[in-house]
Amino acid sequence: MKLFGYRLPAMSSLILWGLLWEVFGRLEVTYFIPSLSAIFDTFLEIAPTKVFIKAVSETAYAFLAGTFYAVVIGVPTGILMGKNRIIDELLLPWVNMFLSAPLTALVPVLMVLFGFGMKSIIIITTLFAIWIIILNTRAGVMQINRSLVDMARSFGAKPIDAFFKIYFWAALPEILGGVRIGFIRAVKGVIIGQLLISIVGFGALFELYSSNFLMKHFWAVIIVLFAMAFTISEILAFFERKVAYYASKRG
Amino acid sequence: MSKDNAVTVKNVYKNYGETEALSDMSLDFPRGELTSLLGPSGCGKTTLLKIIAGLLPATSGEVIVNGQIVKEPGPDRAFVFQDFALLPWASVIRNVAFGLELRGVVKSERESIAQKYIGDVGLKGFENSFPHELSGGMRQRVGLARALSVDAQVLLMDEPFSAVDEQTRRKFQEDLLNLVKNENKTFIFVTHSIEEAVYVSDQIALLLPRPSRVSEIIRPTSFKNKDVDSIRRDSEYLDIVDRIWKSLRTYVK
Amino acid sequence: MKHRPLFLKIISAVILFGAWEIGGRSGVSFAFPPFSESMVAFWSLIIEGTMFKAYAETLKPLVVGIIISGLLGITLGIWIGLSDKFDWFISPIFIVMQAAPLAALIPLLIMAYGIGLTSKVFVVCIMAMPVIVLNTSAAVKNTPTNIKEMAKAFQGKDIDVIFKIILPASSPIIFAGLRLGVSAGFIGAILAELKITPTGVGDIISYSRSIADYPSMYAAIFSIILLAVLFLNILEKMENFLFKGNNQGYVSE
Ligand SMILES: Nc1ncnc2c1ncn2[C@@H]1O[C@H](COP(=O)(O)OP(=O)(O)OP(=O)(O)O)[C@@H](O)[C@H]1O
Ligand SMILES: [Mg+2]
């Protein structure tokens, strides 16, 4: 949008929303919405505390471990599916199914199988992220220009060279797209996991704050979470744009 | 007459499932010469080229390159692709050196070889550009330099000039003539343009529509030693163009 | 083979369920019953009618939530798509919501609205709404200008342009957004039942877990995933059927 001839930057309206929130909070319309400045003060107060740091580091650990497995398993699986028709036909229905299935329903299973702890949360995070990574990688491999593959073969490329020098790079834009969406899903997965298995990370914090009606604390955590999720997705979008120049240049 | 053939295609058949693409195809490619494959679209020119390259197996029959039966791609043959087949994520120099990279030549050595051929095809100064920053003609030069840099004796070119504009194309044709003259390599060249085939070839193989065989081999003689500018006005040149069109027109619906 | 895809689907199902069966029988964990036992439990839940009663309960917040987010989301999306100012003002909220783990708001919703139906409907709405809004607004924004101008050239009024041009042109993507919204809504509905109060299917899951009746637990989970996947598949088939020809699926997430 333009204002007095200046282009307002994207997302700049969030500042306006922040102001509205502040005013609304100060009017003390409802107990549930404290003012933004009060929330910020509370955040400064709890940020250095042990519980908060523990929650952040536990969540970060679950997220990183979950996405690590999702990428390390998902990308090779996707490449295999894109290259091998039988594997593709055997796996594709399941990948599609799990992509749209409400995976939240699996949390109780994970709890009874893997316990009420970190392990279950990492698995649920992986499950949220992996399917889209597989599908995107597969799509990326399938659109690889045939003549690039022929070219590598005509120069006598070994399979391992073809894999790392052609397939991986040629599919990279799609892989990164899948990883970005997968990571966004993983953020949701890690939080859902912690909510349902509420003794780890932010799950425990939520429990603590909501049972004591600590609204400012609660909002402080939520805003931090949302901000982190948004930052992660923007960083990945940035990398995706870096390879976009050759994603569009393939016929 | 016992000529030295760099490549011999012997009774090659190729079926794609039900489709018969090549049927009993036999053809000799004399060493050091440029042979064009000319024929209606879909007659199997690309197929033949890929079989010679070792990228496709023949259903039956054999291809012999320098006395060896072809089973897989080898260092004696290099391919120039119609759509260039450049790595979009790699710079010009890495693209040109990529054939050598796959063969395990060390970086400094392969880059100095690549450097030479980048100069030869007139791309000096673009070593660190990326394919998307180049024009179509320049990209094809990169593909050509890559094929030249592995120093294969046989160059397989599948419609290498079809994706460049007409002026560039004429320039390429002249360059190609010089290349054939100066390098002792065997060129197998697929084209759709009759004029182009007659202009650059030592030998032209006319192919029949699918299932494809050689219908006629034409060897231009008189204008081969003329300079590039006067070929197009040579009477034999014009006669051959006319003759080829007469025999191909029956297949064009 | 004509039935190859179906055949392979069956094989892969046999492999997966077979692995489940073997895994269950070999006693990996006492909480991992074999496939057959789970199916028996599934069957008896259906015969007893427990399953139907449960789904009547589970689907209530889902249906209400989807209707609300559909109506509200599409209206907002169209408005965003048509007005630059509104776009600037409101879009960022949904963009952030799209990336954010909205489930974190559940404890707050419980505090504000208690543990009844309202909270559950809310959960479904916040999960389903962002993708519906963003898909709709993107579709409206991307309506080709030439057909809008065509309508204007024929003196179409704004309202005509919206209802006769923009909406039909964007309906495939709006519908796709709705489908993704339903998919997210399912997550919300289940989450609500597992986190807020165990009713419906969530109750079967929680209860059978608490009495260690694992086959019933697996059966309930199996049923909800099956239901969601089937329903979303039907929506997708409908989409392909309704909008044949203008399939320009967005990868929206
Ligand atoms: N992978 C394939 N599977 C099935 N049929 C194929 C395949 N590749 C080529 N064909 C068929 O084989 C025939 C020859 O194909 P080819 O690409 O060799 O023709 P071409 O002479 O190079 O044609 P053009 O001049 O259009 O490039 C065509 O009829 C084509 O339909
Ligand atoms: Mg061809």
Side-chain angles (χ1 to χ4, degrees):
Chain A
M1 197 184 80
K2 283 192 176 165
L3 197 65
F4 309 123
Y6 286 100
R7 215 182 157 71
L8 292 171
M11 310 299 286
S12 55
S13 70
L14 286 179
I15 298 170
L16 192 58
W17 281 102
L19 287 175
L20 285 177
W21 185 338
E22 179 67 22
V23 172
F24 190 80
R26 293 206 174 197
L27 293 175
E28 301 195 359
V29 183
T30 156
Y31 168 78
F32 292 104
I33 303 186
S35 74
L36 212 48
S37 51
I39 294 172
F40 187 68
D41 288 342
T42 314
F43 168 70
L44 293 183
E45 209 175 282
I46 57 173
T49 59
K50 267 217 186 72
V51 267
F52 186 80
I53 293 171
K54 183 160 171 279
V56 172
S57 51
E58 278 176 348
T59 308
Y61 173 73
F63 176 77
L64 290 178
T67 48
F68 173 79
Y69 291 124
V71 171
V72 167
I73 302 171
V75 171
T77 311
I79 293 183
L80 268 182
M81 285 173 72
K83 285 182 56 166
N84 185 307
R85 181 152 167 227
I86 297 270
I87 295 183
D88 189 41
E89 281 176 307
L90 285 177
L91 292 185
L92 189 61
W94 299 110
V95 175
N96 270 325
M97 192 194 104
F98 280 113
L99 183 71
S100 56
L103 295 168
T104 317
L106 288 178
V107 177
V109 175
L110 297 177
M111 286 199 295
V112 296
L113 287 180
F114 301 101
F116 288 72
M118 201 51 126
K119 218 196 229 168
S120 296
I121 293 179
I122 292 174
I123 295 175
I124 194 77
T125 309
T126 304
L127 283 178
F128 263 70
I130 198 169
W131 313 107
I132 188 71
I133 296 180
I134 294 181
L135 265 191
N136 262 42
T137 306
R138 168 186 179 269
V141 169
M142 291 183 91
Q143 58 73 45
I144 289 180
N145 193 340
R146 272 272 358 139
S147 50
L148 275 191
V149 180
D150 276 347
M151 187 274 287
R153 286 222 297 135
S154 80
F155 287 117
K158 290 179 271 309
I160 186 103
D161 277 340
F163 201 87
F164 284 111
K165 293 190 167 163
I166 306 285
Y167 284 100
F168 176 77
W169 286 96
L172 193 60
E174 282 82 5
I175 295 179
L176 281 182
V179 166
R180 181 175 59 82
I181 302 174
F183 276 34
I184 294 173
R185 289 179 151 225
V187 172
K188 300 177 180 183
V190 87
I191 295 302
I192 288 176
Q194 295 188 0
L195 270 180
L196 295 178
I197 309 172
S198 42
I199 56 168
V200 189
F202 283 113
L205 270 192
F206 285 141
E207 211 64 15
L208 180 72
Y209 295 156
S210 63
S211 56
N212 294 305
F213 289 92
L214 296 170
M215 292 318 305
K216 286 178 213 147
H217 293 68
F218 194 86
W219 276 113
V221 171
I222 297 255
I223 291 177
V224 169
L225 267 183
F226 280 25
M228 286 195 319
F230 186 69
T231 314
I232 290 174
S233 108
E234 285 301 296
I235 291 174
L236 290 167
F238 171 77
F239 283 115
E240 212 180 324
R241 279 195 296 274
K242 286 217 118 175
V243 291
Y245 73 87
Y246 75 78
S248 55
K249 298 282 176 189
R250 299 173 301 192
Chain B
M1 173 173 88
S2 82
K3 241 184 339 213
D4 178 22
N5 292 321
V7 179
T8 306
V9 173
K10 260 199 213 156
N11 312 101
V12 164
Y13 288 76
K14 177 69 192 177
N15 301 341
Y16 291 107
E18 307 277 280
T19 322
E20 255 193 316
L22 303 178
S23 167
D24 199 14
M25 160 83 74
S26 295
L27 190 55
D28 290 333
F29 299 87
R31 188 179 304 282
E33 294 195 351
L34 189 150
T35 303
S36 288
L37 303 174
L38 198 59
S41 186
C43 74
K45 304 181 291 292
T46 300
T47 305
L48 178 62
L49 218 55
K50 286 193 170 174
I51 292 176
I52 296 174
L55 291 170
L56 274 180
T59 308
S60 71
E62 59 192 23
V63 174
I64 296 162
V65 177
N66 294 325
Q68 302 272 325
I69 294 180
V70 168
K71 292 202 189 68
E72 52 183 21
D76 47 0
R77 285 148 289 150
F79 212 105
V80 180
F81 292 84
Q82 175 176 5
D83 60 356
F84 319 141
L86 302 184
L87 307 175
W89 55 85
S91 61
V92 165
I93 188 148
R94 180 157 179 233
N95 264 298
V96 172
F98 191 67
L100 297 166
E101 180 180 338
L102 288 175
R103 286 179 192 173
V105 179
V106 295
K107 190 168 161 120
S108 57
E109 191 185 336
R110 66 178 189 244
E111 293 208 332
S112 77
I113 296 175
Q115 194 69 53
K116 170 184 181 301
Y117 285 101
I118 289 174
D120 282 2
V121 298
L123 282 179
K124 202 166 213 59
F126 291 94
E127 291 84 356
N128 296 314
S129 304
F130 282 79
H132 68 278
E133 298 163 337
L134 304 180
S135 71
M138 292 159 91
R139 285 183 216 171
Q140 190 53 286
R141 286 171 203 270
V142 176
L144 196 60
R146 179 177 58 197
L148 291 173
S149 70
V150 293
D151 199 26
Q153 289 142 42
V154 179
L155 279 161
L156 306 165
M157 311 172 94
D158 190 4
E159 300 183 40
F161 304 154
S162 65
V164 302
D165 64 85
E166 185 57 32
Q167 285 96 310
T168 312
R169 188 170 184 146
R170 287 207 173 201
K171 179 73 177 58
F172 275 175
Q173 291 166 1
E174 290 179 9
D175 291 351
L176 185 59
L177 274 180
N178 288 326
L179 214 56
V180 178
K181 218 173 276 172
N182 299 331
E183 310 250 345
N184 187 27
K185 291 189 192 318
T186 308
F187 292 76
I188 305 180
F189 184 85
V190 170
T191 178
H192 272 140
S193 159
I194 299 172
E195 284 83 359
E196 180 169 280
V198 181
Y199 184 73
V200 300
S201 307
D202 298 299
Q203 155 178 302
I204 303 160
L206 293 188
L207 306 187
L208 295 171
R210 230 183 52 216
S212 194
R213 261 173 301 122
V214 180
S215 81
E216 202 177 338
I217 292 180
I218 296 168
R219 296 188 63 91
T221 49
S222 69
F223 58 83
K224 271 290 120 182
N225 300 318
K226 291 195 173 166
D227 75 305
V228 291
D229 296 319
S230 45
I231 293 179
R232 281 182 227 274
R233 273 175 276 141
D234 186 275
S235 68
E236 191 195 355
Y237 169 86
L238 295 169
D239 286 347
I240 294 178
V241 168
D242 214 41
R243 194 173 126 207
I244 295 178
W245 170 234
K246 284 200 176 100
S247 71
L248 283 182
R249 76 189 306 169
T250 45
Y251 306 125
V252 183
K253 282 137 217 149
Chain C
M1 194 157 48
K2 216 159 127 208
H3 297 294
R4 181 186 154 99
L6 182 67
F7 177 70
L8 278 164
K9 263 184 199 168
I10 293 173
I11 293 216
S12 79
V14 168
I15 293 176
L16 190 79
F17 293 135
W20 179 353
E21 182 72 26
I22 293 167
R25 279 175 191 276
S26 64
V28 181
S29 156
F30 68 98
F32 190 59
F35 177 65
S36 53
E37 273 179 42
S38 306
M39 287 306 106
V40 170
F42 183 57
W43 188 239
S44 63
L45 281 171
I46 288 181
I47 303 217
E48 290 161 15
T50 324
M51 203 68 111
F52 298 106
K53 261 183 259 156
Y55 273 106
E57 200 63 35
T58 299
L59 293 180
K60 218 184 291 167
L62 183 62
V63 171
V64 178
I66 291 292
I67 291 174
I68 295 177
S69 13
L71 291 176
L72 202 59
I74 290 175
T75 317
L76 275 176
I78 293 174
W79 192 2
I80 291 174
L82 292 177
S83 153
D84 264 3
K85 292 197 182 67
F86 196 65
D87 180 24
W88 172 80
F89 185 59
I90 213 103
S91 284
I93 298 285
F94 289 100
I95 294 174
V96 171
M97 278 174 87
Q98 180 80 334
L102 293 167
L105 289 172
I106 294 179
L108 188 78
L109 291 173
I110 301 176
M111 284 189 273
Y113 299 101
I115 55 171
L117 187 62
T118 325
S119 285
K120 291 183 179 172
V121 171
F122 244 107
V123 175
V124 173
C125 284
I126 56 171
M127 299 290 235
M129 193 104 109
V131 70
I132 298 179
V133 172
L134 293 179
N135 254 44
T136 307
S137 65
V140 172
K141 274 186 232 165
N142 292 338
T143 310
T145 0
N146 57 356
I147 57 173
K148 280 191 282 195
E149 280 168 357
M150 178 275 289
K152 291 243 174 66
F154 287 106
Q155 280 92 44
K157 286 186 276 302
D158 279 353
I159 193 90
D160 287 329
V161 175
I162 293 176
F163 280 97
K164 296 193 174 146
I165 304 287
I166 293 177
L167 275 187
S170 22
S171 47
I173 292 162
I174 297 181
F175 196 93
L178 267 180
R179 176 169 53 81
L180 293 172
V182 171
S183 171
F186 261 102
I187 296 183
I190 295 167
L191 197 54
E193 288 198 330
L194 292 177
K195 182 70 191 170
I196 301 179
T197 37
T199 49
V201 184
D203 186 35
I204 304 183
I205 297 175
S206 307
Y207 177 71
S208 47
R209 194 180 87 206
S210 67
I211 61 164
D213 175 7
Y214 294 118
S216 298
M217 183 179 107
Y218 279 78
I221 291 169
F222 183 84
S223 75
I224 184 87
I225 290 182
L226 189 70
L227 181 80
V229 169
L230 278 183
F231 186 65
L232 291 169
N233 256 323
I234 292 172
L235 282 184
E236 205 174 341
K237 292 263 150 61
M238 247 166 81
E239 212 172 301
N240 292 340
F241 174 77
L242 285 173
F243 308 115
K244 247 183 287 173
N246 52 359
N247 252 332
Q248 29 171 318
Y250 275 37
V251 183
S252 42
E253 180 78 16

